[in-house]
Amino acid sequence: MSYAGIDVGTTNCKITVLSEDGSVIFRDSRSYDLILPAPSRAELSPTQVWEAFLEIVRKATNATNKTDPIEAISFSVLGEAVTPIDNKGQPLSNTLVSMDSRGEKEIEEIVEYKIDPYQIYLRTGQVCHPMYTASKLLWWKNRTPEIYKNTWKFLCWEDFLLFKLCGRPVIS
């Protein structure tokens, strides 16, 4: 029995497979492009990331299946990256990653709703900042209403991968 750790980052996807005694029995990575369409904007192609993920998982499974099959996987993912998907699970837009700050004006809108930034901090442990998901969701709603209207779920990266693997939107 072995365990796989998968890291989905800003520019690549990595996998390490460990045996029960903790020794590394497989390691690999695949890169993808960070898309920088304009100043203060940073995106990933969900298709590129998914294909890189599948490739390393297939290689790891092929390398370990006969001798030490993978029994469990754990994810480390780039936080606050969010992807809108339709009701068939297809991405409607590129993923907006944490360094994408196009939601700066939406932070002002959040505060105008009379949501005290200090209360946000007390409840979430995060400051009211455009790197976080709420401003990105409002950005889609305000700036690309056709994407927002057709979105079934907004998924962070771990949730997107789990959805693609098991067909259900879940979060850890």
Side-chain angles (χ1 to χ4, degrees), residues 61-74:
T61 302
N62 289 338
T64 62
N65 216 21
K66 292 183 182 160
T67 57
D68 204 353
I70 297 170
E71 295 289 326
I73 31 180
S74 177

Side-chain angles (χ1 to χ4, degrees), residues 94-113:
N94 280 340
T95 300
L96 304 186
V97 299
S98 58
M99 67 184 81
D100 186 297
S101 61
R102 69 184 81 186
E104 286 184 40
K105 288 193 182 347
E106 282 68 24
I107 290 298
E108 295 169 19
E109 187 178 336
I110 289 170
V111 174
E112 284 176 19
Y113 281 138

Side-chain angles (χ1 to χ4, degrees), residues 67-168:
T67 57
D68 204 353
I70 297 170
E71 295 289 326
I73 31 180
S74 177
F75 292 102
S76 172
V77 296
L78 55 149
E80 302 303 327
V82 62
T83 307
I85 65 167
D86 66 17
N87 60 3
K88 294 179 181 142
Q90 297 303 309
L92 297 172
S93 172
N94 280 340
T95 300
L96 304 186
V97 299
S98 58
M99 67 184 81
D100 186 297
S101 61
R102 69 184 81 186
E104 286 184 40
K105 288 193 182 347
E106 282 68 24
I107 290 298
E108 295 169 19
E109 187 178 336
I110 289 170
V111 174
E112 284 176 19
Y113 281 138
K114 308 270 187 271
I115 301 173
D116 179 6
Y118 184 67
Q119 289 302 313
I120 292 173
Y121 172 76
L122 287 177
R123 291 173 190 229
T124 67
Q126 306 296 331
V127 295
C128 199
H129 190 277
M131 76 181 283
Y132 296 115
T133 307
S135 68
K136 292 170 176 38
L137 302 184
L138 278 175
W139 184 87
W140 269 307
K141 181 179 181 187
N142 293 341
R143 313 298 169 98
T144 60
E146 68 286 349
I147 290 175
Y148 189 85
K149 180 181 75 171
N150 291 310
T151 298
W152 176 58
K153 301 283 183 190
F154 289 96
L155 300 178
C156 293
W157 264 104
E158 180 180 10
D159 321 331
F160 181 74
L161 295 173
L162 290 170
F163 176 79
K164 297 290 271 180
L165 288 172
C166 69
R168 289 183 26 222

